[in-house]
Amino acid sequence: MPRSSLRRPGQDLDLSKHLCDTDQLPNDLSSNSLFGNQHPLELEVGSGKGLFIDNASLTNPAHNFLGVEIIAKYAKHSAAKLARRQATNAMMISGNAEPLLAKSIAGGSLEAVHVYFPDPWWKKRHRKRRVLNEQSIVNLTRCLRPGGRFHFWTDVLDYFEDTVELIAEISPILGVPIPEDEIAATHDLDYRTHFERRSRQNSIPVYRIRYEKRQT
Ligand SMILES: C[S@@+](CC[C@H](N)C(=O)[O-])C[C@H]1O[C@@H](n2cnc3c(N)ncnc32)[C@H](O)[C@@H]1O
């Protein structure tokens, strides 16, 4: 399904507090270095048009939210939503989440990692490009604090099954998958993400789980 076009942020909108390129980042990504406080930090990998980070940061002001999006125009679009309402607990990074998870986030420091509707890379020979792979699962597990959450939703059954199997094999400390419920939408943007909205409006099944990292 094609993606709909993006509204351009106004030229006078100041994105300096809500958008960062990877070459402008501090070496360690933390609530302290990014937001100047100690609030729990939640990371979203692949924010797309930013519906999740916008809603989650609005409804959970006691947590900080960091979105990473590899397509610059989507990172900018998401940052513009945050800038328009002057969110103080959320920002976007324009770039690749994988090296950040591997090197820039301290072990045991994240409250949650969110991955919603990652690109499926259907062809077998392209599977290694999937954002959830052996290395990224090891990395995100390392970054989560004990008790921290990993949320994974997709409408691709094969991606869902492969990831559940892989986690059981290489990252059992994440525990067992806990099903998450579909929430009835009360208005047109009352979905966790744009891709969730699209799947549900087209009657495509969605597989929703979270893990909670074990204490030991
Ligand atoms: C299918 S879209 C889903 C977007 C959004 N999560 C949603 O559910 O509406 C997947 C997004 O992940 C982004 N992405 C893919 N690989 C990434 C990476 N390595 N780092 C950051 N973002 C990535 C893509 O650019 C795309 O916007």
Side-chain angles (χ1 to χ4, degrees):
M1 278 180 273
R3 293 183 183 190
S4 54
S5 62
L6 291 179
R7 198 175 104 191
R8 275 172 185 268
Q11 285 201 334
D12 48 359
L13 188 65
D14 176 9
L15 297 181
S16 59
K17 292 197 175 72
H18 298 95
L19 182 64
C20 206
D21 282 328
T22 42
D23 56 2
Q24 303 163 326
L25 289 171
N27 290 336
D28 68 308
L29 299 182
S30 66
S31 273
N32 195 30
S33 66
L34 297 168
F35 298 96
N37 60 39
Q38 305 289 336
H39 295 177
L41 181 61
E42 306 202 18
L43 174 78
E44 185 189 22
V45 174
S47 302
K49 293 184 190 169
L51 185 60
F52 169 74
I53 193 165
D54 192 30
N55 283 336
S57 58
L58 184 63
T59 54
N60 198 350
H63 287 196
N64 294 321
F65 292 84
L66 179 62
V68 189
E69 170 52 56
I70 203 164
I71 297 181
K73 68 179 176 185
Y74 287 114
K76 192 170 182 182
H77 178 82
S78 302
K81 284 187 186 172
L82 303 173
R84 269 185 215 108
R85 64 172 180 82
Q86 299 180 355
T88 55
N89 64 331
M91 62 172 286
M92 290 297 308
I93 293 175
S94 179
N96 185 353
E98 294 195 41
L100 302 181
L101 269 171
K103 291 191 213 124
S104 307
I105 300 176
S109 69
L110 292 182
E111 177 68 24
V113 175
H114 303 263
V115 181
Y116 298 119
F117 301 84
D119 296 317
W121 294 108
W122 295 105
K123 291 186 182 156
K124 265 222 151 78
R125 68 176 189 280
H126 291 156
R127 295 271 161 93
K128 54 181 179 299
R129 299 184 192 172
R130 284 181 169 177
V131 85
L132 288 176
N133 53 48
E134 206 163 319
Q135 195 53 59
S136 67
I137 286 169
V138 167
N139 290 336
L140 75 86
T141 303
R142 179 189 66 80
C143 292
L144 283 173
R145 71 165 178 82
R149 293 165 283 123
F150 167 47
H151 298 263
F152 169 44
W153 293 15
T154 180
D155 54 8
V156 181
L157 180 58
D158 156 81
Y159 202 159
F160 175 77
E161 289 176 341
D162 283 358
T163 304
V164 169
E165 236 173 74
L166 193 57
I167 289 176
E169 197 183 312
I170 65 168
S171 206
I173 197 167
L174 282 181
V176 293
I178 302 164
E180 296 203 293
D181 292 334
E182 173 176 320
I183 308 289
T186 56
H187 58 79
D188 192 42
L189 281 178
D190 190 12
Y191 296 92
R192 189 164 286 201
T193 72
H194 280 95
F195 269 67
E196 196 212 5
R197 173 174 174 268
R198 200 167 76 156
S199 297
R200 283 172 60 183
Q201 289 182 346
N202 288 286
S203 304
I204 296 169
V206 175
Y207 310 96
R208 304 172 179 81
I209 45 169
R210 77 167 179 281
Y211 289 85
E212 293 176 0
K213 186 174 169 181
R214 293 192 172 126
Q215 300 292 332
T216 52

